[in-house]
Amino acid sequence: MVVRIEPSILSADFSAFAAAVASIPSADLVHCDVMDNHFVPNLTFGLPMVRRLVETSALPLDVHLMIDDPDRWAPGYAEAGAHTVTFHAEAAHEPIATARAIRRAGARAGIAVKPTTDVRPYLAALAEFDQVLVMTVEPGFGGQSFMAGLMDKVGEVRAAIGDRDVWLQVDGGIGADTIATAAAAGADTFVAGSAVFGQEDPDAAVRHLRALASA
């Protein structure tokens, strides 16, 4: 299994994003949490910041949209140069059309589900998506505790993916004490915030997490 580690820029120093990205050369992508204070009760940054990150980052960006009306906004993040644009099933009115628009704009299309959302209605449409994100905390804030009870859902998605080229991502509470559990359930792409940027050597933390998941 290919293991991908995506440090979340949400846990980095907002005044020094370029330095934060430069500190994690071993990472596969940079995870960018876009929140609008409507879909989730938090506000981060939007398209102008992502566009600037694309210009300055040596790593590709995985943009996680925790916003209302992703049908309207998601393609713009792909046009800005994001490698992957992931939107929430709960917020999209036309998830398949939105995924297709993201792909037409040049990015991979991901769909995310909250902990309480039934993922099964979307598994029949896996061909439309390049990534499925199973949230392992309620979206909106970093630093929450990993919900181990969601590993059955992760396993269900893994079984549905089979040999398709679809990444299975988990986000929330991922660290040295939880990543092996998520990997054993079938996840291959891991978002880690404070477990990377909260460490003295962020890149060493990335390598350690990769080793734990690979094992």
Side-chain angles (χ1 to χ4, degrees), residues 51-115:
R51 188 178 290 117
R52 182 60 178 148
L53 277 169
V54 168
E55 293 172 350
T56 60
S57 175
L59 296 172
L61 303 189
D62 180 0
V63 176
H64 177 193
L65 299 178
M66 289 173 269
I67 62 173
D68 286 340
D69 201 8
D71 309 87
R72 175 185 178 186
W73 298 109
Y77 287 86
E79 292 166 0
H83 178 271
T84 304
V85 179
T86 300
F87 61 91
H88 269 268
E90 303 87 358
H93 298 290
E94 299 289 345
I96 291 177
T98 299
R100 289 176 178 176
I102 291 169
R103 284 175 164 178
R104 283 197 302 272
R108 300 172 67 258
I111 190 163
V113 291
K114 292 182 179 181

Short mmCIF file of all heavy atoms in Angstrom, two decimals, residues 51-115:
data_model
loop_
_atom_site.label_atom_id
_atom_site.label_comp_id
_atom_site.label_asym_id
_atom_site.label_seq_id
_atom_site.Cartn_x
_atom_site.Cartn_y
_atom_site.Cartn_z
N ARG A 51 -4.47 30.37 -3.71
CA ARG A 51 -3.76 30.74 -4.94
C ARG A 51 -2.31 31.12 -4.63
O ARG A 51 -1.38 30.72 -5.36
CB ARG A 51 -4.49 31.90 -5.62
CG ARG A 51 -3.95 32.23 -7.01
CD ARG A 51 -4.74 33.34 -7.66
NE ARG A 51 -6.08 32.91 -8.05
CZ ARG A 51 -7.21 33.40 -7.55
NH1 ARG A 51 -7.17 34.36 -6.64
NH2 ARG A 51 -8.37 32.96 -7.97
N ARG A 52 -2.11 31.86 -3.55
CA ARG A 52 -0.75 32.25 -3.16
C ARG A 52 0.06 31.05 -2.69
O ARG A 52 1.26 30.93 -3.00
CB ARG A 52 -0.83 33.31 -2.06
CG ARG A 52 0.54 33.82 -1.62
CD ARG A 52 1.29 34.45 -2.76
NE ARG A 52 2.60 34.98 -2.32
CZ ARG A 52 3.67 35.02 -3.10
NH1 ARG A 52 3.61 34.60 -4.36
NH2 ARG A 52 4.79 35.52 -2.64
N LEU A 53 -0.57 30.12 -1.98
CA LEU A 53 0.12 28.92 -1.54
C LEU A 53 0.57 28.08 -2.73
O LEU A 53 1.66 27.49 -2.72
CB LEU A 53 -0.78 28.09 -0.62
CG LEU A 53 -0.82 28.51 0.85
CD1 LEU A 53 -1.94 27.78 1.57
CD2 LEU A 53 0.52 28.21 1.52
N VAL A 54 -0.27 28.00 -3.74
CA VAL A 54 0.11 27.27 -4.96
C VAL A 54 1.38 27.87 -5.55
O VAL A 54 2.28 27.15 -6.00
CB VAL A 54 -1.04 27.30 -5.99
CG1 VAL A 54 -0.56 26.80 -7.34
CG2 VAL A 54 -2.21 26.45 -5.51
N GLU A 55 1.47 29.18 -5.52
CA GLU A 55 2.63 29.87 -6.09
C GLU A 55 3.90 29.65 -5.29
O GLU A 55 5.00 29.62 -5.85
CB GLU A 55 2.35 31.37 -6.17
CG GLU A 55 1.25 31.75 -7.15
CD GLU A 55 0.87 33.22 -7.05
OE1 GLU A 55 1.33 33.90 -6.10
OE2 GLU A 55 0.10 33.69 -7.91
N THR A 56 3.78 29.47 -3.98
CA THR A 56 4.96 29.42 -3.12
C THR A 56 5.32 28.02 -2.63
O THR A 56 6.44 27.81 -2.16
CB THR A 56 4.76 30.32 -1.89
OG1 THR A 56 3.61 29.86 -1.15
CG2 THR A 56 4.55 31.77 -2.30
N SER A 57 4.41 27.06 -2.73
CA SER A 57 4.65 25.74 -2.17
C SER A 57 5.37 24.83 -3.16
O SER A 57 5.01 24.75 -4.34
CB SER A 57 3.32 25.08 -1.77
OG SER A 57 3.53 23.74 -1.34
N ALA A 58 6.36 24.12 -2.66
CA ALA A 58 7.04 23.12 -3.46
C ALA A 58 6.27 21.81 -3.49
O ALA A 58 6.60 20.90 -4.26
CB ALA A 58 8.45 22.87 -2.91
N LEU A 59 5.25 21.70 -2.66
CA LEU A 59 4.42 20.51 -2.58
C LEU A 59 3.05 20.79 -3.16
O LEU A 59 2.54 21.90 -3.06
CB LEU A 59 4.28 20.06 -1.12
CG LEU A 59 5.55 19.62 -0.41
CD1 LEU A 59 5.26 19.40 1.08
CD2 LEU A 59 6.09 18.33 -1.04
N PRO A 60 2.41 19.78 -3.74
CA PRO A 60 1.04 19.97 -4.24
C PRO A 60 0.07 20.17 -3.08
O PRO A 60 0.32 19.73 -1.95
CB PRO A 60 0.74 18.67 -4.99
CG PRO A 60 1.69 17.66 -4.41
CD PRO A 60 2.92 18.41 -4.00
N LEU A 61 -1.04 20.84 -3.37
CA LEU A 61 -2.03 21.16 -2.36
C LEU A 61 -3.26 20.27 -2.49
O LEU A 61 -3.78 20.05 -3.59
CB LEU A 61 -2.48 22.61 -2.46
CG LEU A 61 -1.42 23.71 -2.38
CD1 LEU A 61 -2.11 25.07 -2.29
CD2 LEU A 61 -0.48 23.50 -1.21
N ASP A 62 -3.72 19.79 -1.34
CA ASP A 62 -5.00 19.10 -1.23
C ASP A 62 -5.92 20.04 -0.48
O ASP A 62 -5.76 20.24 0.73
CB ASP A 62 -4.84 17.77 -0.49
CG ASP A 62 -6.14 16.99 -0.35
OD1 ASP A 62 -7.18 17.49 -0.82
OD2 ASP A 62 -6.11 15.90 0.24
N VAL A 63 -6.87 20.65 -1.18
CA VAL A 63 -7.75 21.65 -0.58
C VAL A 63 -9.03 20.95 -0.10
O VAL A 63 -9.74 20.32 -0.88
CB VAL A 63 -8.09 22.75 -1.59
CG1 VAL A 63 -9.09 23.73 -0.99
CG2 VAL A 63 -6.82 23.49 -2.02
N HIS A 64 -9.28 21.08 1.19
CA HIS A 64 -10.46 20.48 1.83
C HIS A 64 -11.46 21.60 2.08
O HIS A 64 -11.26 22.43 2.96
CB HIS A 64 -10.03 19.79 3.12
CG HIS A 64 -11.15 19.20 3.91
ND1 HIS A 64 -10.98 18.76 5.21
CD2 HIS A 64 -12.45 18.95 3.60
CE1 HIS A 64 -12.12 18.28 5.66
NE2 HIS A 64 -13.03 18.40 4.70
N LEU A 65 -12.53 21.60 1.31
CA LEU A 65 -13.53 22.66 1.40
C LEU A 65 -14.60 22.31 2.43
O LEU A 65 -15.42 21.41 2.21
CB LEU A 65 -14.18 22.88 0.03
CG LEU A 65 -13.26 23.33 -1.10
CD1 LEU A 65 -14.05 23.46 -2.40
CD2 LEU A 65 -12.56 24.64 -0.75
N MET A 66 -14.59 23.01 3.54
CA MET A 66 -15.64 22.90 4.55
C MET A 66 -16.48 24.16 4.44
O MET A 66 -16.45 25.05 5.31
CB MET A 66 -15.02 22.72 5.94
CG MET A 66 -14.38 21.36 6.11
SD MET A 66 -13.46 21.19 7.66
CE MET A 66 -11.83 21.70 7.10
N ILE A 67 -17.23 24.24 3.33
CA ILE A 67 -17.95 25.45 2.99
C ILE A 67 -19.33 25.10 2.44
O ILE A 67 -19.57 24.00 1.93
CB ILE A 67 -17.20 26.29 1.94
CG1 ILE A 67 -17.04 25.51 0.62
CG2 ILE A 67 -15.82 26.70 2.46
CD1 ILE A 67 -16.46 26.31 -0.52
N ASP A 68 -20.24 26.08 2.53
CA ASP A 68 -21.52 25.97 1.83
C ASP A 68 -21.31 26.14 0.33
O ASP A 68 -20.36 26.78 -0.11
CB ASP A 68 -22.48 27.06 2.32
CG ASP A 68 -23.04 26.77 3.71
OD1 ASP A 68 -23.00 25.60 4.14
OD2 ASP A 68 -23.52 27.73 4.35
N ASP A 69 -22.21 25.56 -0.43
CA ASP A 69 -22.27 25.71 -1.89
C ASP A 69 -20.96 25.38 -2.60
O ASP A 69 -20.47 26.17 -3.42
CB ASP A 69 -22.70 27.14 -2.24
CG ASP A 69 -23.27 27.24 -3.66
OD1 ASP A 69 -23.48 26.18 -4.29
OD2 ASP A 69 -23.49 28.37 -4.12
N PRO A 70 -20.37 24.22 -2.34
CA PRO A 70 -19.16 23.85 -3.07
C PRO A 70 -19.40 23.67 -4.56
O PRO A 70 -18.47 23.76 -5.36
CB PRO A 70 -18.73 22.54 -2.41
CG PRO A 70 -19.99 21.96 -1.88
CD PRO A 70 -20.79 23.14 -1.42
N ASP A 71 -20.66 23.42 -4.94
CA ASP A 71 -20.97 23.30 -6.37
C ASP A 71 -20.53 24.56 -7.11
O ASP A 71 -20.05 24.49 -8.24
CB ASP A 71 -22.47 23.08 -6.57
CG ASP A 71 -23.01 21.94 -5.72
OD1 ASP A 71 -23.38 22.21 -4.57
OD2 ASP A 71 -23.02 20.81 -6.20
N ARG A 72 -20.70 25.70 -6.46
CA ARG A 72 -20.31 26.97 -7.07
C ARG A 72 -18.82 27.23 -6.94
O ARG A 72 -18.18 27.69 -7.89
CB ARG A 72 -21.09 28.11 -6.41
CG ARG A 72 -20.66 29.50 -6.89
CD ARG A 72 -21.39 30.59 -6.13
NE ARG A 72 -20.95 31.92 -6.56
CZ ARG A 72 -21.33 33.05 -5.99
NH1 ARG A 72 -22.16 33.03 -4.94
NH2 ARG A 72 -20.88 34.21 -6.44
N TRP A 73 -18.24 26.96 -5.78
CA TRP A 73 -16.89 27.44 -5.48
C TRP A 73 -15.77 26.44 -5.77
O TRP A 73 -14.63 26.85 -6.02
CB TRP A 73 -16.81 27.85 -4.00
CG TRP A 73 -17.71 28.98 -3.66
CD1 TRP A 73 -18.85 28.92 -2.91
CD2 TRP A 73 -17.57 30.35 -4.04
NE1 TRP A 73 -19.44 30.16 -2.80
CE2 TRP A 73 -18.66 31.06 -3.49
CE3 TRP A 73 -16.63 31.04 -4.80
CZ2 TRP A 73 -18.83 32.42 -3.68
CZ3 TRP A 73 -16.79 32.40 -4.99
CH2 TRP A 73 -17.88 33.08 -4.44
N ALA A 74 -16.04 25.16 -5.73
CA ALA A 74 -14.97 24.16 -5.82
C ALA A 74 -14.16 24.26 -7.12
O ALA A 74 -12.92 24.17 -7.08
CB ALA A 74 -15.54 22.76 -5.66
N PRO A 75 -14.79 24.43 -8.28
CA PRO A 75 -13.96 24.48 -9.50
C PRO A 75 -12.93 25.60 -9.50
O PRO A 75 -11.85 25.45 -10.09
CB PRO A 75 -15.01 24.68 -10.61
CG PRO A 75 -16.26 24.09 -10.06
CD PRO A 75 -16.23 24.44 -8.60
N GLY A 76 -13.21 26.70 -8.82
CA GLY A 76 -12.25 27.80 -8.76
C GLY A 76 -10.95 27.41 -8.08
O GLY A 76 -9.88 27.91 -8.45
N TYR A 77 -11.03 26.53 -7.09
CA TYR A 77 -9.82 26.08 -6.40
C TYR A 77 -8.99 25.17 -7.33
O TYR A 77 -7.77 25.18 -7.27
CB TYR A 77 -10.18 25.37 -5.11
CG TYR A 77 -10.65 26.33 -4.04
CD1 TYR A 77 -11.97 26.71 -3.97
CD2 TYR A 77 -9.75 26.87 -3.13
CE1 TYR A 77 -12.41 27.62 -3.00
CE2 TYR A 77 -10.17 27.78 -2.16
CZ TYR A 77 -11.50 28.15 -2.10
OH TYR A 77 -11.92 29.05 -1.16
N ALA A 78 -9.67 24.41 -8.16
CA ALA A 78 -8.95 23.61 -9.16
C ALA A 78 -8.29 24.53 -10.17
O ALA A 78 -7.12 24.33 -10.54
CB ALA A 78 -9.92 22.65 -9.85
N GLU A 79 -9.00 25.54 -10.62
CA GLU A 79 -8.43 26.49 -11.58
C GLU A 79 -7.24 27.24 -10.99
O GLU A 79 -6.33 27.64 -11.71
CB GLU A 79 -9.52 27.48 -12.02
CG GLU A 79 -10.61 26.83 -12.85
CD GLU A 79 -11.83 27.71 -12.99
OE1 GLU A 79 -11.83 28.84 -12.43
OE2 GLU A 79 -12.82 27.26 -13.62
N ALA A 80 -7.24 27.41 -9.67
CA ALA A 80 -6.14 28.11 -9.00
C ALA A 80 -4.87 27.26 -8.92
O ALA A 80 -3.81 27.78 -8.56
CB ALA A 80 -6.56 28.54 -7.60
N GLY A 81 -4.99 25.97 -9.21
CA GLY A 81 -3.81 25.12 -9.23
C GLY A 81 -3.74 24.06 -8.16
O GLY A 81 -2.72 23.38 -8.03
N ALA A 82 -4.81 23.87 -7.38
CA ALA A 82 -4.82 22.80 -6.39
C ALA A 82 -4.68 21.45 -7.07
O ALA A 82 -5.22 21.22 -8.16
CB ALA A 82 -6.10 22.84 -5.56
N HIS A 83 -3.97 20.55 -6.44
CA HIS A 83 -3.80 19.20 -6.97
C HIS A 83 -5.07 18.39 -6.77
O HIS A 83 -5.50 17.64 -7.66
CB HIS A 83 -2.63 18.52 -6.25
CG HIS A 83 -2.38 17.11 -6.67
ND1 HIS A 83 -2.98 16.03 -6.07
CD2 HIS A 83 -1.56 16.58 -7.63
CE1 HIS A 83 -2.56 14.91 -6.64
NE2 HIS A 83 -1.70 15.23 -7.59
N THR A 84 -5.68 18.53 -5.59
CA THR A 84 -6.92 17.84 -5.25
C THR A 84 -7.86 18.84 -4.60
O THR A 84 -7.43 19.67 -3.80
CB THR A 84 -6.66 16.68 -4.28
OG1 THR A 84 -5.71 15.78 -4.85
CG2 THR A 84 -7.94 15.92 -3.96
N VAL A 85 -9.13 18.76 -4.95
CA VAL A 85 -10.16 19.58 -4.30
C VAL A 85 -11.21 18.64 -3.74
O VAL A 85 -11.86 17.90 -4.49
CB VAL A 85 -10.80 20.59 -5.27
CG1 VAL A 85 -11.88 21.40 -4.55
CG2 VAL A 85 -9.74 21.51 -5.87
N THR A 86 -11.35 18.65 -2.43
CA THR A 86 -12.29 17.77 -1.74
C THR A 86 -13.41 18.61 -1.15
O THR A 86 -13.16 19.58 -0.44
CB THR A 86 -11.58 16.98 -0.62
OG1 THR A 86 -10.54 16.18 -1.20
CG2 THR A 86 -12.56 16.08 0.11
N PHE A 87 -14.64 18.23 -1.44
CA PHE A 87 -15.80 18.95 -0.93
C PHE A 87 -16.67 17.99 -0.12
O PHE A 87 -16.56 16.77 -0.25
CB PHE A 87 -16.61 19.57 -2.07
CG PHE A 87 -17.16 18.56 -3.05
CD1 PHE A 87 -18.41 18.01 -2.89
CD2 PHE A 87 -16.39 18.15 -4.15
CE1 PHE A 87 -18.91 17.07 -3.79
CE2 PHE A 87 -16.88 17.21 -5.05
CZ PHE A 87 -18.14 16.67 -4.87
N HIS A 88 -17.54 18.55 0.70
CA HIS A 88 -18.37 17.72 1.58
C HIS A 88 -19.67 17.30 0.91
O HIS A 88 -20.37 18.13 0.31
CB HIS A 88 -18.66 18.45 2.89
CG HIS A 88 -17.63 18.15 3.93
ND1 HIS A 88 -17.78 17.12 4.85
CD2 HIS A 88 -16.42 18.69 4.16
CE1 HIS A 88 -16.70 17.07 5.63
NE2 HIS A 88 -15.87 18.01 5.23
N ALA A 89 -19.97 16.02 1.03
CA ALA A 89 -21.22 15.49 0.50
C ALA A 89 -22.42 16.20 1.09
O ALA A 89 -23.43 16.43 0.41
CB ALA A 89 -21.30 13.98 0.79
N GLU A 90 -22.31 16.57 2.36
CA GLU A 90 -23.45 17.19 3.05
C GLU A 90 -23.77 18.58 2.53
O GLU A 90 -24.89 19.09 2.71
CB GLU A 90 -23.16 17.28 4.56
CG GLU A 90 -22.85 15.96 5.23
CD GLU A 90 -21.36 15.58 5.16
OE1 GLU A 90 -20.57 16.34 4.54
OE2 GLU A 90 -21.01 14.54 5.73
N ALA A 91 -22.80 19.23 1.89
CA ALA A 91 -22.99 20.60 1.42
C ALA A 91 -23.29 20.68 -0.07
O ALA A 91 -23.75 21.73 -0.54
CB ALA A 91 -21.74 21.43 1.72
N ALA A 92 -23.03 19.62 -0.80
CA ALA A 92 -23.17 19.66 -2.26
C ALA A 92 -24.59 19.28 -2.67
O ALA A 92 -25.17 18.33 -2.15
CB ALA A 92 -22.17 18.71 -2.90
N HIS A 93 -25.12 20.02 -3.62
CA HIS A 93 -26.42 19.69 -4.19
C HIS A 93 -26.28 18.73 -5.36
O HIS A 93 -27.15 17.88 -5.59
CB HIS A 93 -27.14 20.96 -4.65
CG HIS A 93 -27.42 21.93 -3.55
ND1 HIS A 93 -28.35 21.69 -2.56
CD2 HIS A 93 -26.87 23.13 -3.27
CE1 HIS A 93 -28.38 22.71 -1.72
NE2 HIS A 93 -27.49 23.59 -2.11
N GLU A 94 -25.19 18.85 -6.10
CA GLU A 94 -24.93 18.01 -7.27
C GLU A 94 -23.50 17.46 -7.19
O GLU A 94 -22.59 17.93 -7.89
CB GLU A 94 -25.11 18.82 -8.56
CG GLU A 94 -26.50 19.38 -8.77
CD GLU A 94 -27.52 18.29 -9.11
OE1 GLU A 94 -27.09 17.16 -9.46
OE2 GLU A 94 -28.72 18.58 -9.02
N PRO A 95 -23.25 16.50 -6.30
CA PRO A 95 -21.86 16.06 -6.07
C PRO A 95 -21.17 15.50 -7.31
O PRO A 95 -19.97 15.74 -7.50
CB PRO A 95 -22.00 15.00 -4.97
CG PRO A 95 -23.43 14.60 -4.98
CD PRO A 95 -24.20 15.79 -5.44
N ILE A 96 -21.88 14.77 -8.14
CA ILE A 96 -21.23 14.21 -9.32
C ILE A 96 -20.89 15.31 -10.32
O ILE A 96 -19.77 15.35 -10.87
CB ILE A 96 -22.12 13.12 -9.96
CG1 ILE A 96 -22.19 11.90 -9.03
CG2 ILE A 96 -21.58 12.72 -11.33
CD1 ILE A 96 -23.10 10.80 -9.50
N ALA A 97 -21.81 16.23 -10.54
CA ALA A 97 -21.53 17.35 -11.44
C ALA A 97 -20.37 18.19 -10.92
O ALA A 97 -19.52 18.66 -11.69
CB ALA A 97 -22.78 18.20 -11.61
N THR A 98 -20.31 18.38 -9.60
CA THR A 98 -19.22 19.16 -9.01
C THR A 98 -17.89 18.44 -9.18
O THR A 98 -16.87 19.07 -9.53
CB THR A 98 -19.51 19.43 -7.54
OG1 THR A 98 -20.72 20.19 -7.44
CG2 THR A 98 -18.37 20.20 -6.88
N ALA A 99 -17.88 17.14 -8.96
CA ALA A 99 -16.65 16.36 -9.15
C ALA A 99 -16.18 16.45 -10.60
O ALA A 99 -14.98 16.61 -10.87
CB ALA A 99 -16.87 14.91 -8.74
N ARG A 100 -17.10 16.38 -11.52
CA ARG A 100 -16.73 16.46 -12.94
C ARG A 100 -16.18 17.84 -13.28
O ARG A 100 -15.23 17.97 -14.07
CB ARG A 100 -17.93 16.12 -13.81
CG ARG A 100 -18.32 14.64 -13.74
CD ARG A 100 -19.57 14.34 -14.53
NE ARG A 100 -19.88 12.91 -14.49
CZ ARG A 100 -20.98 12.37 -15.04
NH1 ARG A 100 -21.85 13.14 -15.69
NH2 ARG A 100 -21.18 11.07 -14.95
N ALA A 101 -16.76 18.88 -12.69
CA ALA A 101 -16.27 20.24 -12.94
C ALA A 101 -14.86 20.43 -12.39
O ALA A 101 -14.02 21.09 -13.01
CB ALA A 101 -17.22 21.26 -12.32
N ILE A 102 -14.59 19.83 -11.23
CA ILE A 102 -13.24 19.90 -10.65
C ILE A 102 -12.25 19.22 -11.58
O ILE A 102 -11.16 19.75 -11.85
CB ILE A 102 -13.23 19.24 -9.26
CG1 ILE A 102 -14.03 20.09 -8.25
CG2 ILE A 102 -11.80 19.01 -8.76
CD1 ILE A 102 -14.29 19.39 -6.93
N ARG A 103 -12.61 18.06 -12.08
CA ARG A 103 -11.71 17.35 -12.99
C ARG A 103 -11.48 18.13 -14.28
O ARG A 103 -10.34 18.19 -14.77
CB ARG A 103 -12.28 15.96 -13.29
CG ARG A 103 -12.11 14.95 -12.16
CD ARG A 103 -12.81 13.65 -12.51
NE ARG A 103 -12.37 12.54 -11.66
CZ ARG A 103 -12.86 11.30 -11.74
NH1 ARG A 103 -13.80 11.01 -12.64
NH2 ARG A 103 -12.42 10.35 -10.94
N ARG A 104 -12.53 18.71 -14.82
CA ARG A 104 -12.37 19.50 -16.05
C ARG A 104 -11.43 20.67 -15.83
O ARG A 104 -10.72 21.09 -16.76
CB ARG A 104 -13.73 20.01 -16.53
CG ARG A 104 -14.60 18.97 -17.22
CD ARG A 104 -15.71 19.62 -18.01
NE ARG A 104 -16.57 20.45 -17.18
CZ ARG A 104 -17.64 20.03 -16.52
NH1 ARG A 104 -17.99 18.74 -16.60
NH2 ARG A 104 -18.37 20.84 -15.80
N ALA A 105 -11.42 21.19 -14.61
CA ALA A 105 -10.56 22.33 -14.29
C ALA A 105 -9.12 21.90 -13.99
O ALA A 105 -8.27 22.76 -13.72
CB ALA A 105 -11.13 23.11 -13.11
N GLY A 106 -8.86 20.60 -14.01
CA GLY A 106 -7.48 20.13 -13.92
C GLY A 106 -7.04 19.55 -12.60
O GLY A 106 -5.85 19.28 -12.41
N ALA A 107 -7.97 19.33 -11.66
CA ALA A 107 -7.61 18.78 -10.35
C ALA A 107 -8.26 17.42 -10.14
O ALA A 107 -9.20 17.04 -10.84
CB ALA A 107 -8.02 19.74 -9.24
N ARG A 108 -7.76 16.71 -9.15
CA ARG A 108 -8.42 15.49 -8.69
C ARG A 108 -9.62 15.88 -7.85
O ARG A 108 -9.58 16.88 -7.13
CB ARG A 108 -7.46 14.62 -7.87
CG ARG A 108 -6.23 14.17 -8.65
CD ARG A 108 -5.21 13.49 -7.77
NE ARG A 108 -5.69 12.21 -7.26
CZ ARG A 108 -6.16 12.01 -6.03
NH1 ARG A 108 -6.18 13.01 -5.15
NH2 ARG A 108 -6.57 10.83 -5.64
N ALA A 109 -10.66 15.09 -7.90
CA ALA A 109 -11.90 15.41 -7.18
C ALA A 109 -12.08 14.47 -5.99
O ALA A 109 -12.00 13.24 -6.15
CB ALA A 109 -13.11 15.30 -8.10
N GLY A 110 -12.31 15.05 -4.82
CA GLY A 110 -12.53 14.25 -3.62
C GLY A 110 -13.87 14.57 -2.99
O GLY A 110 -14.37 15.70 -3.09
N ILE A 111 -14.45 13.58 -2.34
CA ILE A 111 -15.68 13.78 -1.60
C ILE A 111 -15.44 13.40 -0.15
O ILE A 111 -14.77 12.40 0.14
CB ILE A 111 -16.86 12.99 -2.20
CG1 ILE A 111 -18.18 13.42 -1.55
CG2 ILE A 111 -16.63 11.48 -2.12
CD1 ILE A 111 -19.41 13.00 -2.34
N ALA A 112 -15.95 14.22 0.77
CA ALA A 112 -15.75 14.02 2.21
C ALA A 112 -17.08 13.77 2.89
O ALA A 112 -18.12 14.30 2.47
CB ALA A 112 -15.08 15.25 2.83
N VAL A 113 -17.04 12.98 3.95
CA VAL A 113 -18.24 12.73 4.76
C VAL A 113 -17.92 12.95 6.23
O VAL A 113 -16.85 12.56 6.71
CB VAL A 113 -18.80 11.31 4.54
CG1 VAL A 113 -19.37 11.16 3.14
CG2 VAL A 113 -17.74 10.25 4.80
N LYS A 114 -18.86 13.56 6.93
CA LYS A 114 -18.73 13.75 8.37
C LYS A 114 -18.88 12.40 9.08
O LYS A 114 -19.36 11.42 8.50
CB LYS A 114 -19.82 14.71 8.86
CG LYS A 114 -19.70 16.13 8.40
CD LYS A 114 -20.84 16.96 9.02
CE LYS A 114 -20.78 18.41 8.61
NZ LYS A 114 -21.88 19.20 9.24
N PRO A 115 -18.51 12.36 10.37
CA PRO A 115 -18.60 11.09 11.11
C PRO A 115 -19.98 10.45 11.10
O PRO A 115 -20.08 9.22 11.06
CB PRO A 115 -18.17 11.49 12.53
CG PRO A 115 -17.23 12.62 12.32
CD PRO A 115 -17.81 13.40 11.17
#
